[in-house]
Structures are given as C-alpha cells and as structure tokens.
Amino acid sequence: MMKRVALHTLGCKLNYAETSAIGERFKANGFDLIDFGEDSDVVLINSCTVTENANKECRQLVRRALRKNPSACVIVTGCYAQLKPEEIASIEGVDYVLGSAEKFRLFDLVDQFAKREVPRVSVGEIAHETGFGPAYSSEADARTRAFLKVQDGCDYNCSFCTIPLARGSSRSQPLDDVVAQAKELVGRGYLEIVLTGVNTGDYGKKDGTDLYELLCRLHEVEGLRRLRISSIEPNLLTDQIIELAASSDRMMPHFHVPLQSGSDKILGKMRRRYRSSDYRDRVEKILHEMPDAGIGVDVIVGFPGEGEDEFQQTYQFLHALPVSYFHVFTYSERENTPANEFEGSVPVAERRERTRMLRTLSEKKRGSFARKFEGSIRPVLFEAERGDGTVQGYSDNYVRVALTPEQRVAEQIVEVQIGEWSGDFAEGEVVEATQLTDVSE
Ligand code: SF4
C-alpha cells in the first residue's frame, strides 16, 4: 500500500510554496498526499517564527496528528525549527527536526520515515547558506494564481526581524530558471504568477541582475496573462519598475509595499532604509503612472518607543495617503533581535487598541477604493468555484469581486462590471460579450 503523508504550513506564502515543493518530492517518491489530521504514515509541519506561540502551536499540531495515528513519523522543519531546534526536539512525538536548508534535502536526511527513540536534529548554519530551494504554490488547488519563489533570505537588518536568522542571507533563483519555471506554470494552465521571496525587490543583486530585468524577461513568456510582485520594499521599488508596470500588458496595476511606521523616529529605530517622505513619493509615483492602481501597506504597531505621538503620526500619515488597504501587525518581542532590548515597551492592551484602530481605517480605505470603481468594467481572475456555487477573484487592481452562483465562470479572466461593495467584496456582473480567456481552451 502507498505510504501517506500529511503536510501542514504555518506562516507566509513562501513557506506555503516550499511545502508544495516538498509535497511534490513526496509524490515523486511514491507517497500519497492527504489532508492534515487524516490517518497518515508521515506528518510534516513547516513552521514559522513570526507566529506567536510557535512552540505551543507546533506542540498542538503534533498532538493532533498523533491522536489520529500514534505511529506516524513526525518531521518539523521551517524557520522556527531553524531557530529553536532543541525546543522542537523536546516536543513529545517529534522524530526529525530539519533546518531551513535541510528541508530541501529531506530524502537524504530522513531514511526510514519511522518513529525514533530519540529525535534526530539536522539543522546547519544558515548564515552562509548559498543553496536555493525552488518552489511554487497555488491557491486551493486551482490553476489560477501561482506563487513562484524567486528569492530567499535577507541582507537587511531590521531591528525587529528574525527572518535573516532563520533563512540566511539573500540569494536568488537564476534568471533562466525562473523563466523556465514560469513557462512550465503557464503550460500547466496558470494565468497569473506572483513573484515571491523574503525580500523580493533584492532579486538578483548578487548575480549582476535585478528584479527589473527579471520582470522584462518574464514578458517573453508567451501565454502569461498576469504578473505581480507579492511585496516590495519602498527603497527597491524603482521608477523603472513602476513605469514598466504602467506600460505592460501583463503587470497588474497593484503593488504591496511595507511601510511599518509613519514616524521617521520609529523607522530609524526599526533600521528601515527609507523615511515616510520616500514612501509617500513612491505612492505618488505609482498613482501618477497608474491612477487606478491598488496599493497595499504593511504596518507594525506597538514597536518599542511608539508613544501616542508616534502612533498618531502613523495614523494620520496613512489616513491622508491614497492607498487601498493595510496589513496590520501587532509588535511582539522576539528573542535575539535588537528591538528586544529597546526601551519604551508599549503596554499590550495599547498595542491591541492601536491594531484595532488601524484595521478599522484599513477597512474604510478598502471600501472607498472599491466604491471608486462601482459601475466600471475591469478584468477579474476568478478562482475555483466554492462549495456554495459562488466564485470570487481579484480585479487587475486588487478589488475582491464575487459572482452569484448563476454566473459560472470559475478559473478564468473575465471582464466584469463592478457592483456594490459588501464590506468583504464587490458584487460583479459578467460582461458576457468581452470574456477574455478560458483555461480549457
Ligand atoms: S527587509 Fe527587514 S523585515 Fe524584511 S525580511 Fe529583511 S530584515 Fe526582515
């Protein structure tokens, strides 16, 4: 009988992409992929260091997996395993702990896929790692959007971040390999590729190339309909990239750009490589070139030293900025980061309140952005049909759009008249005559 493996991912799109790649290797080695929580022979957890209570979460997941099948071989890998291998190894029932680089050598390091008396820990020095584990993932098995990993690690040293410790220094997938992978994905029917990395804007810097060149090369991939960058640091979002997006037939008018704080004092303490005026300048440039562009923002609240004044600066800065939504992160202390030693810790209740305020502002922005397009026609890439027969997708400029069950256009790019904003999505009406593509063609 075929062995069964269940995979579980915590954290970011990059981790999801890597779990997918690991899943492919299991399949190539004769395993059946099954849902996590089902009866399986092997369980793999790809952990995250950004998750709060990562240890507790891992412990609960291991317990949940073993409840179903006590003899399953349990492997924990990912960023948290890289940072705290001994902590992970001490969780009862864990058999193998693999670091960030070792996860791509799993089949060399785990021989029997059987339970062990004593866990085996294979976690190397990540700081000098130069290897690159290629990966991509898609959403809910639909062949619509693929998240393609093009870069890993980071050479920046933001004072709150453990990612460089867990993933090592910046390295990239060679240009030709990315192009070849993109062609393969298009060949399999994917309509959109989202370029993903830890610091995607840093792509290729060590290899004498850059993200702009990669984007240009990806324009040669025939049949690729849509291209986005998952996230790009403001100091790396060049005029050249913005202008390319504006003149491109496939780069979407949408950027996600981390801000983290609207206070220059806090940005300095965070060791970010720009100030609020640089950020504003990037937003203005995007909207000058593409007035309908969607712009997403990452922001951290409750960083040490963020008093009421600094928070208000962030709030007012974002309030005035014509961006379309934010991802708000509540600061939490991380061991081995400089920020952990900073004075001016913000009370947890205050951090929560500031998070709530910014999330409310984000919802307002999201709604007013979507309402701007009410009545207009925009192309939307619809995802797979849901259980209730409804279909959702994103417009070119990242407005979430939903169709009613009678409009069955899943997994296609279709022109849609944008309707009323419901709070979560805009209702859409398919403009029949101008259907753009069908993956089954
Ligand atoms: S740019 Fe800063 S926040 Fe982002 S991964 Fe690098 S160190 Fe972390």
mmCIF file of all heavy atoms in Angstrom, residues 100-128:
data_model
loop_
_atom_site.group_PDB
_atom_site.id
_atom_site.type_symbol
_atom_site.label_atom_id
_atom_site.label_comp_id
_atom_site.label_asym_id
_atom_site.label_seq_id
_atom_site.Cartn_x
_atom_site.Cartn_y
_atom_site.Cartn_z
ATOM 1 N N SER A 100 16.191 25.211 7.833
ATOM 2 C CA SER A 100 15.658 25.867 6.626
ATOM 3 C C SER A 100 16.289 25.340 5.339
ATOM 4 O O SER A 100 15.617 25.264 4.307
ATOM 5 C CB SER A 100 15.891 27.380 6.709
ATOM 6 O OG SER A 100 15.179 27.910 7.783
ATOM 7 N N ALA A 101 17.585 25.032 5.380
ATOM 8 C CA ALA A 101 18.220 24.495 4.174
ATOM 9 C C ALA A 101 17.967 22.992 4.077
ATOM 10 O O ALA A 101 17.791 22.455 2.982
ATOM 11 C CB ALA A 101 19.717 24.767 4.210
ATOM 12 N N GLU A 102 17.920 22.328 5.232
ATOM 13 C CA GLU A 102 17.787 20.863 5.247
ATOM 14 C C GLU A 102 16.433 20.392 4.735
ATOM 15 O O GLU A 102 16.296 19.256 4.309
ATOM 16 C CB GLU A 102 18.030 20.336 6.670
ATOM 17 C CG GLU A 102 19.480 20.372 7.121
ATOM 18 C CD GLU A 102 19.963 21.775 7.490
ATOM 19 O OE1 GLU A 102 19.117 22.670 7.662
ATOM 20 O OE2 GLU A 102 21.197 21.969 7.587
ATOM 21 N N LYS A 103 15.431 21.297 4.756
ATOM 22 C CA LYS A 103 14.113 20.833 4.302
ATOM 23 C C LYS A 103 14.143 20.411 2.833
ATOM 24 O O LYS A 103 13.348 19.598 2.402
ATOM 25 C CB LYS A 103 13.011 21.851 4.598
ATOM 26 C CG LYS A 103 13.053 23.138 3.861
ATOM 27 C CD LYS A 103 11.756 23.946 4.164
ATOM 28 C CE LYS A 103 12.054 25.323 4.663
ATOM 29 N NZ LYS A 103 10.910 26.159 4.920
ATOM 30 N N PHE A 104 15.111 20.958 2.079
ATOM 31 C CA PHE A 104 15.205 20.589 0.668
ATOM 32 C C PHE A 104 16.058 19.327 0.451
ATOM 33 O O PHE A 104 16.219 18.878 -0.664
ATOM 34 C CB PHE A 104 15.762 21.760 -0.151
ATOM 35 C CG PHE A 104 14.827 22.940 -0.113
ATOM 36 C CD1 PHE A 104 15.108 24.039 0.684
ATOM 37 C CD2 PHE A 104 13.649 22.928 -0.843
ATOM 38 C CE1 PHE A 104 14.234 25.110 0.746
ATOM 39 C CE2 PHE A 104 12.768 23.991 -0.783
ATOM 40 C CZ PHE A 104 13.058 25.087 0.012
ATOM 41 N N ARG A 105 16.649 18.832 1.560
ATOM 42 C CA ARG A 105 17.433 17.592 1.453
ATOM 43 C C ARG A 105 16.769 16.485 2.262
ATOM 44 O O ARG A 105 17.425 15.564 2.725
ATOM 45 C CB ARG A 105 18.854 17.848 1.967
ATOM 46 C CG ARG A 105 19.576 18.934 1.183
ATOM 47 C CD ARG A 105 21.083 18.807 1.309
ATOM 48 N NE ARG A 105 21.554 19.230 2.613
ATOM 49 C CZ ARG A 105 21.862 20.506 2.919
ATOM 50 N NH1 ARG A 105 21.735 21.447 1.999
ATOM 51 N NH2 ARG A 105 22.294 20.826 4.109
ATOM 52 N N LEU A 106 15.477 16.615 2.448
ATOM 53 C CA LEU A 106 14.712 15.725 3.310
ATOM 54 C C LEU A 106 14.936 14.245 3.003
ATOM 55 O O LEU A 106 15.152 13.436 3.903
ATOM 56 C CB LEU A 106 13.237 16.101 3.141
ATOM 57 C CG LEU A 106 12.221 15.424 4.005
ATOM 58 C CD1 LEU A 106 11.338 16.498 4.629
ATOM 59 C CD2 LEU A 106 11.330 14.509 3.211
ATOM 60 N N PHE A 107 14.925 13.912 1.714
ATOM 61 C CA PHE A 107 15.034 12.489 1.381
ATOM 62 C C PHE A 107 16.439 11.930 1.570
ATOM 63 O O PHE A 107 16.624 10.737 1.589
ATOM 64 C CB PHE A 107 14.482 12.219 -0.034
ATOM 65 C CG PHE A 107 12.978 12.166 -0.016
ATOM 66 C CD1 PHE A 107 12.235 13.317 -0.170
ATOM 67 C CD2 PHE A 107 12.321 10.973 0.234
ATOM 68 C CE1 PHE A 107 10.851 13.282 -0.102
ATOM 69 C CE2 PHE A 107 10.939 10.920 0.310
ATOM 70 C CZ PHE A 107 10.199 12.079 0.143
ATOM 71 N N ASP A 108 17.430 12.812 1.736
ATOM 72 C CA ASP A 108 18.774 12.331 2.087
ATOM 73 C C ASP A 108 18.895 12.195 3.598
ATOM 74 O O ASP A 108 19.661 11.375 4.095
ATOM 75 C CB ASP A 108 19.856 13.339 1.640
ATOM 76 C CG ASP A 108 19.802 13.553 0.143
ATOM 77 O OD1 ASP A 108 19.422 12.601 -0.557
ATOM 78 O OD2 ASP A 108 20.115 14.675 -0.298
ATOM 79 N N LEU A 109 18.169 13.017 4.321
ATOM 80 C CA LEU A 109 18.357 13.092 5.769
ATOM 81 C C LEU A 109 17.409 12.190 6.557
ATOM 82 O O LEU A 109 17.699 11.798 7.680
ATOM 83 C CB LEU A 109 18.194 14.542 6.249
ATOM 84 C CG LEU A 109 19.219 15.517 5.678
ATOM 85 C CD1 LEU A 109 18.811 16.958 5.935
ATOM 86 C CD2 LEU A 109 20.594 15.250 6.293
ATOM 87 N N VAL A 110 16.269 11.882 5.975
ATOM 88 C CA VAL A 110 15.312 11.013 6.668
ATOM 89 C C VAL A 110 15.281 9.706 5.887
ATOM 90 O O VAL A 110 14.847 9.692 4.740
ATOM 91 C CB VAL A 110 13.902 11.648 6.699
ATOM 92 C CG1 VAL A 110 12.927 10.754 7.441
ATOM 93 C CG2 VAL A 110 13.954 13.031 7.339
ATOM 94 N N ASP A 111 15.783 8.638 6.486
ATOM 95 C CA ASP A 111 15.899 7.416 5.705
ATOM 96 C C ASP A 111 14.657 6.531 5.755
ATOM 97 O O ASP A 111 14.071 6.204 4.739
ATOM 98 C CB ASP A 111 17.157 6.629 6.111
ATOM 99 C CG ASP A 111 17.449 6.761 7.601
ATOM 100 O OD1 ASP A 111 16.524 7.155 8.344
ATOM 101 O OD2 ASP A 111 18.577 6.468 8.015
ATOM 102 N N GLN A 112 14.223 6.217 6.951
ATOM 103 C CA GLN A 112 13.176 5.200 7.080
ATOM 104 C C GLN A 112 11.757 5.741 7.197
ATOM 105 O O GLN A 112 10.803 5.002 7.063
ATOM 106 C CB GLN A 112 13.467 4.357 8.342
ATOM 107 C CG GLN A 112 14.765 3.578 8.272
ATOM 108 C CD GLN A 112 14.728 2.524 7.185
ATOM 109 O OE1 GLN A 112 13.692 1.926 6.934
ATOM 110 N NE2 GLN A 112 15.856 2.324 6.523
ATOM 111 N N PHE A 113 11.586 6.961 7.495
ATOM 112 C CA PHE A 113 10.267 7.534 7.796
ATOM 113 C C PHE A 113 9.554 6.702 8.864
ATOM 114 O O PHE A 113 8.382 6.332 8.724
ATOM 115 C CB PHE A 113 9.401 7.658 6.540
ATOM 116 C CG PHE A 113 9.913 8.713 5.599
ATOM 117 C CD1 PHE A 113 10.665 8.377 4.488
ATOM 118 C CD2 PHE A 113 9.670 10.059 5.857
ATOM 119 C CE1 PHE A 113 11.161 9.351 3.639
ATOM 120 C CE2 PHE A 113 10.154 11.040 5.003
ATOM 121 C CZ PHE A 113 10.909 10.684 3.900
ATOM 122 N N ALA A 114 10.338 6.353 9.912
ATOM 123 C CA ALA A 114 9.766 5.569 11.010
ATOM 124 C C ALA A 114 9.952 6.340 12.305
ATOM 125 O O ALA A 114 10.774 7.262 12.380
ATOM 126 C CB ALA A 114 10.499 4.229 11.096
ATOM 127 N N LYS A 115 9.214 5.953 13.341
ATOM 128 C CA LYS A 115 9.356 6.649 14.629
ATOM 129 C C LYS A 115 10.722 6.344 15.229
ATOM 130 O O LYS A 115 11.281 5.280 15.015
ATOM 131 C CB LYS A 115 8.241 6.226 15.597
ATOM 132 C CG LYS A 115 6.915 6.806 15.229
ATOM 133 C CD LYS A 115 6.089 7.254 16.418
ATOM 134 C CE LYS A 115 6.411 8.579 17.011
ATOM 135 N NZ LYS A 115 6.285 9.722 16.109
ATOM 136 N N ARG A 116 11.274 7.324 15.976
ATOM 137 C CA ARG A 116 12.605 7.160 16.560
ATOM 138 C C ARG A 116 12.507 7.259 18.076
ATOM 139 O O ARG A 116 11.643 7.949 18.601
ATOM 140 C CB ARG A 116 13.529 8.267 16.054
ATOM 141 C CG ARG A 116 13.806 8.236 14.576
ATOM 142 C CD ARG A 116 14.682 9.417 14.181
ATOM 143 N NE ARG A 116 15.903 9.467 14.990
ATOM 144 C CZ ARG A 116 17.011 8.803 14.714
ATOM 145 N NH1 ARG A 116 17.081 8.079 13.626
ATOM 146 N NH2 ARG A 116 18.064 8.877 15.513
ATOM 147 N N GLU A 117 13.423 6.564 18.723
ATOM 148 C CA GLU A 117 13.514 6.659 20.190
ATOM 149 C C GLU A 117 13.907 8.086 20.581
ATOM 150 O O GLU A 117 13.329 8.704 21.450
ATOM 151 C CB GLU A 117 14.619 5.700 20.684
ATOM 152 C CG GLU A 117 14.255 4.239 20.616
ATOM 153 C CD GLU A 117 13.329 3.846 21.742
ATOM 154 O OE1 GLU A 117 13.654 4.177 22.890
ATOM 155 O OE2 GLU A 117 12.271 3.239 21.458
ATOM 156 N N VAL A 118 14.966 8.557 19.882
ATOM 157 C CA VAL A 118 15.487 9.907 20.151
ATOM 158 C C VAL A 118 15.370 10.714 18.857
ATOM 159 O O VAL A 118 15.773 10.220 17.799
ATOM 160 C CB VAL A 118 16.980 9.824 20.558
ATOM 161 C CG1 VAL A 118 17.534 11.214 20.850
ATOM 162 C CG2 VAL A 118 17.166 8.887 21.727
ATOM 163 N N PRO A 119 14.816 11.907 18.912
ATOM 164 C CA PRO A 119 14.683 12.674 17.657
ATOM 165 C C PRO A 119 16.033 12.986 17.018
ATOM 166 O O PRO A 119 17.012 13.187 17.729
ATOM 167 C CB PRO A 119 13.982 13.961 18.095
ATOM 168 C CG PRO A 119 13.839 13.924 19.554
ATOM 169 C CD PRO A 119 14.302 12.617 20.081
ATOM 170 N N ARG A 120 16.059 13.031 15.692
ATOM 171 C CA ARG A 120 17.295 13.409 15.011
ATOM 172 C C ARG A 120 17.174 14.866 14.570
ATOM 173 O O ARG A 120 16.220 15.224 13.870
ATOM 174 C CB ARG A 120 17.549 12.519 13.806
ATOM 175 C CG ARG A 120 18.889 12.896 13.137
ATOM 176 C CD ARG A 120 19.111 12.187 11.839
ATOM 177 N NE ARG A 120 19.337 10.768 12.048
ATOM 178 C CZ ARG A 120 19.362 9.885 11.043
ATOM 179 N NH1 ARG A 120 19.169 10.279 9.811
ATOM 180 N NH2 ARG A 120 19.570 8.607 11.298
ATOM 181 N N VAL A 121 18.174 15.658 14.984
ATOM 182 C CA VAL A 121 18.138 17.083 14.657
ATOM 183 C C VAL A 121 19.161 17.357 13.553
ATOM 184 O O VAL A 121 20.351 17.098 13.726
ATOM 185 C CB VAL A 121 18.459 17.936 15.916
ATOM 186 C CG1 VAL A 121 18.496 19.426 15.563
ATOM 187 C CG2 VAL A 121 17.427 17.674 17.018
ATOM 188 N N SER A 122 18.702 17.849 12.404
ATOM 189 C CA SER A 122 19.612 18.221 11.307
ATOM 190 C C SER A 122 19.378 19.688 10.988
ATOM 191 O O SER A 122 18.497 20.035 10.186
ATOM 192 C CB SER A 122 19.336 17.384 10.063
ATOM 193 O OG SER A 122 19.328 16.022 10.362
ATOM 194 N N VAL A 123 20.112 20.526 11.679
ATOM 195 C CA VAL A 123 19.958 21.971 11.485
ATOM 196 C C VAL A 123 21.351 22.578 11.361
ATOM 197 O O VAL A 123 22.124 22.584 12.312
ATOM 198 C CB VAL A 123 19.196 22.619 12.669
ATOM 199 C CG1 VAL A 123 19.122 24.129 12.500
ATOM 200 C CG2 VAL A 123 17.793 22.037 12.782
ATOM 201 N N GLY A 124 21.686 23.064 10.173
ATOM 202 C CA GLY A 124 23.022 23.611 9.946
ATOM 203 C C GLY A 124 23.064 25.121 10.133
ATOM 204 O O GLY A 124 22.048 25.750 10.429
ATOM 205 N N GLU A 125 24.262 25.683 9.954
ATOM 206 C CA GLU A 125 24.464 27.135 9.965
ATOM 207 C C GLU A 125 23.755 27.717 8.751
ATOM 208 O O GLU A 125 24.088 27.371 7.626
ATOM 209 C CB GLU A 125 25.948 27.388 9.749
ATOM 210 C CG GLU A 125 26.816 27.864 10.887
ATOM 211 C CD GLU A 125 26.298 28.949 11.770
ATOM 212 O OE1 GLU A 125 25.751 29.937 11.246
ATOM 213 O OE2 GLU A 125 26.453 28.803 12.980
ATOM 214 N N ILE A 126 22.810 28.574 8.955
ATOM 215 C CA ILE A 126 22.092 29.110 7.790
ATOM 216 C C ILE A 126 22.769 30.371 7.250
ATOM 217 O O ILE A 126 22.615 30.730 6.087
ATOM 218 C CB ILE A 126 20.602 29.386 8.127
ATOM 219 C CG1 ILE A 126 19.754 29.661 6.874
ATOM 220 C CG2 ILE A 126 20.436 30.509 9.129
ATOM 221 C CD1 ILE A 126 19.478 28.501 6.011
ATOM 222 N N ALA A 127 23.583 31.018 8.099
ATOM 223 C CA ALA A 127 24.137 32.333 7.739
ATOM 224 C C ALA A 127 24.888 32.300 6.412
ATOM 225 O O ALA A 127 24.819 33.260 5.642
ATOM 226 C CB ALA A 127 25.049 32.827 8.843
ATOM 227 N N HIS A 128 25.582 31.208 6.127
ATOM 228 C CA HIS A 128 26.390 31.172 4.903
ATOM 229 C C HIS A 128 25.767 30.294 3.815
ATOM 230 O O HIS A 128 26.425 29.951 2.844
ATOM 231 C CB HIS A 128 27.811 30.712 5.234
ATOM 232 C CG HIS A 128 28.436 31.534 6.326
ATOM 233 N ND1 HIS A 128 28.629 32.889 6.187
ATOM 234 C CD2 HIS A 128 28.809 31.219 7.574
ATOM 235 C CE1 HIS A 128 29.133 33.375 7.309
ATOM 236 N NE2 HIS A 128 29.242 32.384 8.176
#
